[in-house]
Amino acid sequence: MKFHHIQSLFTQISDCQKEFIREQVPALSFRYMGFAKTVMIALALATAPLFAGNIILDQYAERRAITEMEAMGKASIQRAEEVISATVAVLQRLDRDKIETCSAEDRVIFEKQIVEHGMIDAIGLVDAIGQRMCIIPDRDLAGKVVLPPLRVDGPLVGIGMLDRAYLGARAAVISWDLKNQTRLFAEVTPAVIALDPGPEYLRSYRRTELRLGDNLLWYDVGGYNSEATTPEEQLNVEVASELYPLVATVTAPVSAAAFVVQDLKVVAAAACAGIAVLFVAIGVWLSWRPESEANDEFVAAIRNGEFIPYYQPVMDIESGRLRGCEILMRWRRPNGNIVSPGQFMAYAENNGHIFDMTRQMMRISSEEVGDLYGENPDLKMSVNLFAGHFLDREIISDIRSIFENSKISYQQIVVEVTERHPLEDMELARKIMAELQALGVRVALDDVGTGHGGMAYLQKLGVDIIKIDKMFIDTIGSDDNSTTIVDSMVELADNLGMGIIAEGVEKEEQIERLLELGVTAAQGYFFAKPMSAEDFIAFAEKTEEEARERARLAAEAAAAEQAASEAAMTASAA
C-alpha cells in the first residue's frame, strides 16, 4: 500500500501547467511558424497590465488555496472513514458468523480475512481488560494490553492507535464488542491512511494532521511549522467527519497561495483582455489560415510516411545486456528536419490522427527490426498507446493484423499506457488489456506517480510492468523523498509480481543507486539516445558482442582461479 501514498503525493504535480503548454503547441500549421510567434509576442505585450492587478490576483489565489485545503482535509477524512467502515464491516461479519474464539478453525478464518483485505495487518481477540488472547498472524502476546478495559456502557465499536507508524501515519486498532466479555479487534496497516492529496504548490508548504477523538494523532504530513508565523500570515482549515470522531486540520502559509498560476489565468485574461484581443487579432489577421489546411498537411504527412519510429534501448543494468527498446515517434519533414513529439502529439491525439500513426509505427517497426527480434526472442518492444486506444477493441485487431505473421511474437510486445491522461472507461480498458495479455502482450504503466491513475490503475488494470518517471530518477541520489518513493515502487512491484523499469537515466551514480534499491532495468541517455532502426540494430549487435566478451573473460578468470586453487591444494597435500 506504499504506492497509494506515492501516487497521491505526485498526482497533481504540474499537470495543469503541462496540459496548458501542450494546448499552446501550434496546431494550425507547422509550415507557418510566424503565426505562433506573432501570437506569443502579442500575449507577451498584453501581460503588461498584470502588474496593476496584483492585489486582485493575490486575493483570488488565497481563496483558491483555502478551497484546495478544504478538499485536502475532506480527502483525508473520507479515506479514514472508508478504512474504519471497511474494517468494522469485517469484524461485524465475523461476529454474525460466530467466528469469535481462538480455536484453530476460527484462526484460519481470521487469516483468510487478512489475505482478502490488504488494509488489515492482524485480527485477534482481547479479554475484558483489553489484553490480547490471540492474534493472527501469530505474535508473542506477552500480556500485551492493546485496548482499554471493557465498560458496561461502552461503545460497540472502539478505535485506538498503536505505536507502529509509517510515513507519518500510525497503525490503528479497531474493536468490536462481542457482548461476552471479549472483543474482536483488527490492526489496520498505517500505509492505507498515509495519503497526501492536493496540488503540488500547497503540498510543498503545508501541514496536514488527522486526529481521532480527544486529540489523538493518527496521521500527519508536511514539515510546515506555524509557531513562527503570525495568524495573519497563515491559512487554517478544519474538516470534521460526520460518521466518526475524526478531525482533519490543514495549515499553510499565505505565501504558498502565490504559486497558483493556472487558475489565475482567467483573472489575468480579464485584466489585460483589451490589449490581448487587439494584438492577437492583428496576429491572426496577418498570418491565420484555416485549420482544415493544417489538417490536410498533417494527413499528407501520414500518407507520405513522414512519421517514423525511433528506438530507445532498454538495458539490464546488472549484466549490461540489451532487454529491448521503446518505440518513440518522430516527424521527419521532407527537408530532413526531425520534429520531436512535443510539437505534434497533442494535435494528433485531439484530431484522431494518432490511431493511423500508431499503426504506422508498429508496421514499420515490425519490418525494420523483425529479423533482430526473430533471432533474439527475449527482446521486448514497447509501443506507446494513449487513452483513446482503450475506448474500443480496434487496437487488438491492429496488433493481431500487424504481428500475427511477423517475426516479432506477441510475447515480445509491451504496450505502455500513461498515467498523465485519465482513461474514460476503466472497465472497458481493463477488458481490452486482458485480451492483449491473453495473446501474450504485456502491459506497462508509464509515468508512474505523475498523473491521474495511481493505485486505481494498478488495482483495476492488472498491469505487468511499472515505469519510474524521470522526475524521480533525476534526484534519486540527492533527494531522500525520491529515494523513498523509488524504494516503495520497487517493493510494490515485488509484492505484486510486476517488472519495473527506470526511465531517464543519465548518470552512473543513478545506476548505482537503482541497483542498491533493486531496480535492474533502465533506459535513458546514459545508455543511448533514441535512434534509427539501423543504428539500433548496430547497437544491439555491439552490446551483445560486449556481453559475450565479458562472459568469456569472467569464465577464464573463474577457470584460472579454480586451477590456482587446485594447484594450491595439491602442493599442500604433497
Side-chain angles (χ1 to χ4, degrees):
M1 297 300 293
K2 285 185 178 181
F3 184 75
H4 183 82
H5 166 71
I6 298 165
Q7 187 274 334
S8 300
L9 181 63
F10 290 95
T11 293
Q12 300 293 333
I13 183 169
S14 299
D15 274 354
C16 292
Q17 295 175 351
K18 293 174 182 175
E19 283 303 312
F20 176 79
I21 292 172
R22 286 191 174 189
E23 290 172 4
Q24 303 309 306
V25 170
L28 294 181
S29 173
F30 294 101
R31 183 183 302 165
Y32 299 111
M33 296 302 293
F35 170 68
K37 293 179 180 178
T38 303
V39 172
M40 291 176 63
I41 293 172
L43 292 177
L45 294 174
T47 57
L50 287 179
F51 292 101
N54 282 339
I55 296 177
I56 296 175
L57 296 178
D58 289 341
Q59 291 175 345
Y60 176 82
E62 186 171 328
R63 292 195 300 270
R64 179 71 180 186
I66 291 175
T67 301
E68 297 282 8
M69 291 166 65
E70 289 175 346
M72 294 162 70
K74 290 177 181 178
S76 298
I77 290 293
Q78 181 180 1
R79 182 57 181 161
E81 290 176 344
E82 291 172 353
V83 169
I84 295 173
S85 297
T87 306
V88 170
V90 171
L91 298 178
Q92 187 178 19
R93 187 161 55 251
L94 291 173
D95 182 16
R96 182 194 63 205
D97 295 339
K98 303 301 181 182
I99 312 301
E100 52 189 29
T101 71
C102 290
S103 67
E105 294 80 5
D106 287 358
R107 292 162 70 93
V108 170
I109 296 175
F110 290 164
E111 186 172 3
K112 181 180 179 182
Q113 295 299 314
I114 294 171
V115 173
E116 292 179 353
H117 301 85
M119 63 187 174
I120 297 177
D121 277 345
I123 297 178
L125 283 169
V126 297
D127 56 21
I129 64 174
Q131 181 174 300
R132 290 192 302 212
M133 301 164 58
C134 62
I135 185 170
I136 301 297
D138 289 328
R139 300 175 187 169
D140 182 13
L141 300 181
K144 180 71 172 181
V145 175
V146 295
L147 295 174
L150 192 64
R151 304 197 317 266
V152 176
D153 60 343
L156 187 63
V157 175
I159 308 173
M161 295 296 138
L162 300 175
D163 293 331
R164 184 159 46 90
Y166 167 76
L167 293 179
R170 298 171 64 187
V173 57
I174 300 174
S175 65
W176 177 268
D177 191 351
L178 298 174
K179 300 302 182 181
N180 61 358
Q181 297 300 304
T182 63
R183 284 167 287 179
L184 281 167
F185 75 92
E187 294 182 10
V188 178
T189 176
V192 300
I193 197 65
L195 77 166
D196 192 11
E200 177 67 13
Y201 78 89
L202 275 179
R203 287 190 285 110
S204 300
Y205 297 94
R206 62 82 190 90
R207 181 175 184 82
T208 300
E209 295 181 348
L210 179 65
R211 296 185 177 274
L212 171 69
D214 297 329
N215 208 32
L216 184 61
L217 183 64
W218 187 354
Y219 170 65
D220 70 284
V221 64
Y224 174 65
N225 188 341
S226 62
E227 293 182 0
T229 309
T230 62
E232 295 78 17
E233 297 175 337
Q234 65 184 28
L235 304 173
N236 294 283
V237 171
E238 184 173 287
V239 180
S241 169
E242 297 180 359
L243 301 178
Y244 303 104
L246 297 167
V247 176
T249 58
V250 184
T251 307
V254 173
S255 58
F259 289 89
V260 178
V261 177
Q262 285 306 121
D263 292 324
L264 297 181
K265 289 188 180 295
V266 177
V267 180
C272 59
I275 298 176
V277 170
L278 175 61
F279 283 101
V280 172
I282 293 173
V284 172
W285 180 74
L286 291 174
S287 54
W288 179 83
R289 65 174 180 149
E291 184 176 354
S292 59
E293 187 178 344
N295 197 53
D296 290 344
E297 179 184 353
F298 213 84
V299 171
I302 297 173
R303 185 175 58 248
N304 296 333
E306 295 179 17
F307 294 98
I308 60 173
Y310 264 41
Y311 305 83
Q312 182 166 41
V314 177
M315 303 297 296
D316 187 316
I317 57 179
E318 279 189 318
S319 66
R321 289 182 176 272
L322 181 69
R323 285 197 176 187
C325 69
E326 178 181 355
I327 298 176
L328 301 172
M329 193 180 302
R330 296 291 186 269
W331 185 357
R332 184 172 57 197
R333 304 305 306 275
N335 61 8
N337 290 340
I338 299 295
V339 181
S340 65
Q343 293 182 274
F344 62 82
M345 193 60 72
Y347 181 76
E349 293 177 358
N350 292 336
N351 289 274
H353 297 306
I354 190 65
F355 301 105
D356 286 334
M357 295 163 70
T358 301
R359 280 189 286 268
Q360 197 170 81
M361 290 305 99
M362 292 191 294
R363 189 174 297 111
I364 296 174
S365 298
S366 69
E367 297 170 357
E368 289 186 335
V369 299
D371 290 339
L372 174 65
Y373 274 72
E375 297 167 0
N376 298 273
D378 290 334
L379 292 182
K380 305 296 182 183
M381 185 173 71
S382 295
V383 180
N384 287 289
L385 304 182
F386 92 115
H389 279 108
F390 298 98
L391 293 178
D392 56 51
R393 299 180 66 259
E394 188 172 1
I395 185 61
I396 301 174
S397 301
D398 291 341
I399 290 177
R400 280 182 177 275
S401 64
I402 294 171
F403 294 104
E404 187 172 17
N405 298 315
S406 168
K407 295 180 181 179
I408 302 176
S409 68
Y410 294 136
Q411 287 74 21
Q412 291 178 287
I413 302 170
V414 178
V415 295
E416 296 189 15
V417 54
T418 181
E419 251 194 42
R420 295 185 188 274
H421 302 287
L423 295 170
E424 295 181 21
D425 189 334
M426 287 283 286
E427 186 61 31
L428 177 59
R430 177 67 191 102
K431 291 179 180 178
I432 292 172
M433 291 181 191
E435 288 192 54
L436 290 172
Q437 289 168 324
L439 290 177
V441 176
R442 303 182 75 189
V443 178
L445 182 60
D446 198 9
D447 307 315
V448 170
T450 65
H452 299 77
M455 181 58 74
Y457 276 16
L458 293 178
Q459 290 175 327
K460 296 181 180 180
L461 298 182
V463 299
D464 304 297
I465 302 167
I466 60 176
K467 302 190 74 172
I468 307 173
D469 192 80
K470 183 180 184 296
M471 65 177 290
F472 302 120
I473 302 302
D474 285 343
T475 56
I476 191 173
S478 58
D479 182 63
D480 291 340
N481 288 334
S482 293
T483 302
T484 301
I485 290 167
V486 174
D487 187 26
S488 300
M489 288 183 184
V490 174
E491 182 177 344
L492 175 70
D494 288 342
N495 291 339
L496 298 181
M498 298 185 301
I500 188 164
I501 300 174
E503 296 184 291
V505 175
E506 297 179 351
K507 302 176 183 177
E508 186 170 359
E509 52 264 32
Q510 292 173 340
I511 294 178
E512 295 172 355
R513 195 69 187 94
L514 287 169
L515 285 172
E516 291 174 3
L517 295 173
V519 179
T520 59
Q523 64 186 87
Y525 282 15
F526 179 82
F527 309 105
K529 296 181 179 180
M531 60 187 76
S532 66
E534 182 181 355
D535 291 340
F536 175 65
I537 293 171
F539 178 88
E541 293 173 349
K542 178 183 177 183
T543 302
E544 182 59 26
E545 182 179 343
E546 291 174 348
R548 286 196 298 266
E549 179 64 16
R550 285 195 299 272
R552 185 186 67 79
L553 294 175
E556 290 179 355
E561 183 178 352
Q562 177 67 23
S565 176
E566 292 175 355
M569 292 177 62
T570 301
S572 176

